[in-house]
């Protein structure tokens, strides 16, 4: 059974009028519509959209484009199959089809052009810069156009997120598909179109030249961290886009990193295991196991905090089938688990992909739906029959209430796990999926916008009101909502802080720990004073992948051979940092030099970690007759001069051949590296 689309109609703006007659649309009764192969069009069933002789509407002028240095026109793409993906970045079903899009792009690299048409549901999602951040977060490598006013949406008659339209190489619409399972439905159509137009001699396999948003961007120490968990003096961070879990002290000393950094699914030792966009975490009953919602792998992973070994506790690594059913944890397919909360010997799981909360019994290794029917909605009823909308964060209050951030309904709700009171809305709308905003107030009169984080503290529920870039405080008894910190999206520490789409939140000893997702940082906020600070992580450079690993994200600097004279000399390193940036004075950088022969030996006293290094740096070496290949591994932590708590990191592997000879005129070698940032 194909998953239903994220929504099947739109209320704001009003798009209820009939679409242009040339384009068929999906309806609530047929949320997933099959695309036929071109040759079978005359016999296509009634629920199939097929319009092989209808010209695809052109893109309007004046729209913002991403992942390309110019606006694209369908006219210039004649000869290629074009697929339009209508999406909005908060929709879990839209996230689910990204692997399908990537697979199609890989299989048809020069025949197919995917264009993401971002037709936003939420106000925040209409901002081009916010869309750029999501393009980076999900690693999209196809063009994306900001359809914030629904002009493209209306011209094609789209009615659901996600919906894909296929356009043939002659510029005609072949059909559409609404919902998930895009690859299975669309791939045969693409194959048919490629074969047909290749036979006609008009298929264009010229590669499309794109300028990706990711090109030249600096590497951040953390990348879009989604969630944060505090356990005693241990701080666990879902370093989501680095596909790893970071363990540190509350003051920022990194103790361990779990995951190689590869976006993959692999059990094993800490440095070899692999995650895919991990999110929420929970420490197990004995305190020596960390459970991780491995969202992209649709699984729950277990990290042995003593040995570092990573195993799979629940899920198969593949998205489950519909309708969702429980069973043996290891054999049950899950659907984008987004957060975890320990309840005795069980874990509650925010199963965002099926709009439910599940329970994972750690004693029996069984898992099953606990709250929610699986339909998307805002109905408060019994635990089993209530409808939820992409729950993304969980928190127990110790008194029988399980609070959850119900993201797509822009509300905070709770389930009674101690009695028979079912599900209730604490704050935010209970009237549907299109009531959202930024308004303090009481209960359902207050408005939130796609909250992703919640933590309960007795009489108070703290919320990361993600799309409003704010932290909010809710009275657990009467639902009164008050903005506690934040304003417009940005970054600022101190008594009047700014955040940028924070996605996770936890609380310990009166301090909120916030995963400030788009600022690539972990922030602390004192609940008594509102004072905010950014944690600087020390020692994380020890866990970075080196240049011999596939996950290396640095620069390889191959230098021309140098000739030096025998004797004691120096290697001088000059690093040029861009204007407006500086070495981070609070975070250490690392400098390692070695050679593959005794002709060059370095004084170990100058190697390793240096805090606040001042360039140029000099490293002492002894040169003796012969040849050697010098290798330098550099990790330089630097920052914007105005936001020095947000760390950037430059990794460099230096390869320098050296010959020590009598004709050498100097015993000094100079290596220069310039950090180059893109013009944004």
């Amino acid at each position: 059974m194909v998953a239903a689309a994220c929504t099947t109609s739109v209320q704001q703006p009003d798009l209820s009028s009939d679409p242009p007659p040339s384009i068929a649309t999906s309806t609530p009764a047929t949320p997933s519509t099959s695309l036929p192969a071109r040759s079978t069009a005359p016999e296509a069933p009634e629920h199939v959209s097929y319009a092989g002789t209808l010209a695809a509407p052109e893109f309007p002028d004046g729209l913002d484009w991403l992942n390309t240095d110019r606006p694209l026109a369908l006219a210039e793409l004649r000869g290629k199959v074009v697929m339009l993906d209508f999406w909005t970045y908060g929709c879990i079903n839209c996230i689910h089809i990204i692997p399908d899009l990537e697979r199609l792009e890989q299989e048809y690299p020069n025949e197919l052009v995917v264009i993401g048409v971002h037709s936003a549901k939420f106000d925040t999602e209409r901002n081009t810069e916010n869309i750029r951040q999501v393009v980076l977060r999900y690693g999209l490598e196809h063009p994306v156009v900001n359809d914030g006013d629904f002009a493209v949406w209306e011209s094609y008659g789209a009615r659901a997120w996600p919906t894909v339209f296929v356009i043939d190489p002659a510029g005609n619409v072949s059909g559409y598909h609404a919902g998930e399972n895009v690859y299975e439905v669309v791939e045969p159509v693409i194959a048919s179109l490629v074969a047909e137009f290749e036979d006609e001699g008009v298929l264009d396999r010229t590669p499309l030249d794109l300028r990706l948003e990711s090109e030249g961007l600096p590497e951040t120490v953390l990348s879009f961290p989604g969630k944060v968990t505090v356990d005693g003096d241990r701080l666990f961070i879902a370093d989501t886009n680095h596909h790893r879990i970071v363990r540190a002290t509350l003051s920022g000393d990194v103790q361990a990193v779990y995951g190689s950094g590869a976006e993959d699914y692999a059990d094993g030792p800490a440095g070899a295991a692999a995650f895919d966009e991990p999110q929420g975490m929970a420490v197990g009953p004995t305190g020596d196991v960390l459970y991780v919602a491995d969202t992209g792998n649709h699984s729950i992973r277990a990290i042995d905090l003593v040995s570092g070994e990573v195993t799979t506790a629940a899920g198969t690594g593949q998205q489950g089938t519909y309708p969702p059913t429980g069973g043996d944890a290891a054999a049950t397919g899950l659907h984008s688990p987004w957060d975890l909360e320990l309840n005795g010997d069980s874990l509650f799981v925010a199963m965002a992909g099926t709009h439910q909360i599940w329970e994972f019994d750690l004693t029996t290794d069984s898992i099953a739906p606990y709250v929610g029917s699986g339909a998307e909605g805002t109905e408060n009823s019994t635990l089993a029959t209530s409808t939820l909308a992409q729950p993304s964060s969980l928190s127990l209050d110790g008194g029988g209430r399980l609070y959850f951030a119900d993201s797509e309904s822009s509300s905070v709700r709770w389930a009674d796990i101690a009695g028979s009171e079912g599900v209730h809305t604490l704050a935010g709308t209970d009237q549907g999926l299109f009531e959202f905003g930024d308004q303090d107030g009481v209960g359902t009169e207050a408005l939130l916008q796609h909250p992703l984080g919640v933590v309960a503290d007795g009489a108070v529920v703290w919320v990361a009101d993600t799309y409003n870039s704010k932290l909010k405080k809710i009275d657990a008894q009467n639902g009164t909502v008050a903005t506690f910190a934040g304003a417009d999206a940005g970054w600022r520490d101190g008594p009047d802080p700014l955040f940028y789409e924070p996605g996770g939140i936890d609380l310990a000893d009166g301090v909120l720990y916030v995963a400030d997702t788009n600022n690539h940082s972990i922030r602390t906020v004192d609940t008594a004073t509102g004072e905010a600070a950014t944690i600087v992580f020390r020692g994380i450079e020890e866990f970075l992948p080196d240049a011999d690993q596939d996950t290396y994200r640095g620069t390889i600097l191959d230098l021309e051979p140098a000739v030096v004279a025998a004797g004691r000399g120096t290697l001088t390193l000059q690093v040029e940092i861009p204007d407006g940036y500086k070495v981070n004075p609070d975070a250490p950088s690392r400098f390692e030099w070695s050679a593959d022969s005794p002709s060059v030996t370095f004084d170990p006293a100058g190697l390793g970690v240096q805090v606040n290094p001042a360039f140029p740096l000099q490293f002492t070496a002894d040169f003796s007759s012969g040849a050697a290949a010098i290798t330098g591994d550099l990790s330089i932590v630097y920052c914007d001069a105005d936001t020095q708590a947000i760390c950037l990191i430059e990794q460099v592997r230096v390869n320098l051949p050296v010959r020590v000879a009598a004709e050498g005129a100097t015993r000094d070698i100079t290596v220069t590296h310039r950090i180059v940032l893109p013009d944004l």
Side-chain angles (χ1 to χ4, degrees), residues 54-55 94 96 174 210 289 330-331 335 371 387-388 410 429 511 646-647 657 665:
L54 301 175
C94 299
H96 282 168
S174 290
L210 298 175
V289 174
H335 301 258
V371 182
T387 58
L388 315 185
S410 294
T429 186
V511 176
I646 299 180
C647 297

Side-chain angles (χ1 to χ4, degrees), residues 483-527:
T483 298
F484 179 72
D488 293 336
W491 180 90
R492 184 170 59 217
D493 278 340
D496 189 22
L498 296 178
F499 307 89
Y500 192 0
E501 293 196 9
I505 189 170
D506 205 355
L507 177 70
D509 297 326
V511 176
L512 293 170
Y513 292 81
V514 181
D516 194 5
T517 304
N518 285 6
N519 278 326
H520 311 291
S521 61
I522 304 300
R523 315 284 293 281
T524 61
V525 184
D526 189 308
T527 58

Side-chain angles (χ1 to χ4, degrees), residues 115-136:
I115 298 177
V117 182
H118 192 274
S119 306
K121 169 185 172 179
F122 291 99
D123 292 340
T124 291
E125 294 176 328
R126 298 186 183 192
N127 181 284
T128 299
E129 181 55 36
N130 296 343
I131 301 171
R132 178 181 287 108
Q133 295 303 315
V134 168
V135 166
L136 294 170

Side-chain angles (χ1 to χ4, degrees), residues 360-419:
F360 175 21
D361 190 322
L362 301 177
T363 60
T364 64
D365 285 328
S366 60
I367 192 168
Y370 184 79
V371 182
S373 67
E376 184 177 24
T378 58
E379 180 183 356
N380 291 321
S381 183
T382 66
L383 295 183
T385 61
S386 293
T387 58
L388 315 185
Q390 205 169 309
S392 302
S393 182
L394 304 172
S395 184
L396 287 165
D397 73 342
R401 289 188 178 189
L402 175 63
Y403 290 99
F404 57 97
D406 204 42
S407 302
E408 279 294 292
S409 70
S410 294
S411 64
V412 174
R413 303 167 71 182
W414 61 274
D416 178 20
I417 64 169

Side-chain angles (χ1 to χ4, degrees), residues 3-21:
C6 191
T7 59
T8 54
S9 64
V10 174
Q11 296 180 10
Q12 290 186 346
D14 182 8
L15 303 181
S16 59
S17 60
D18 291 336

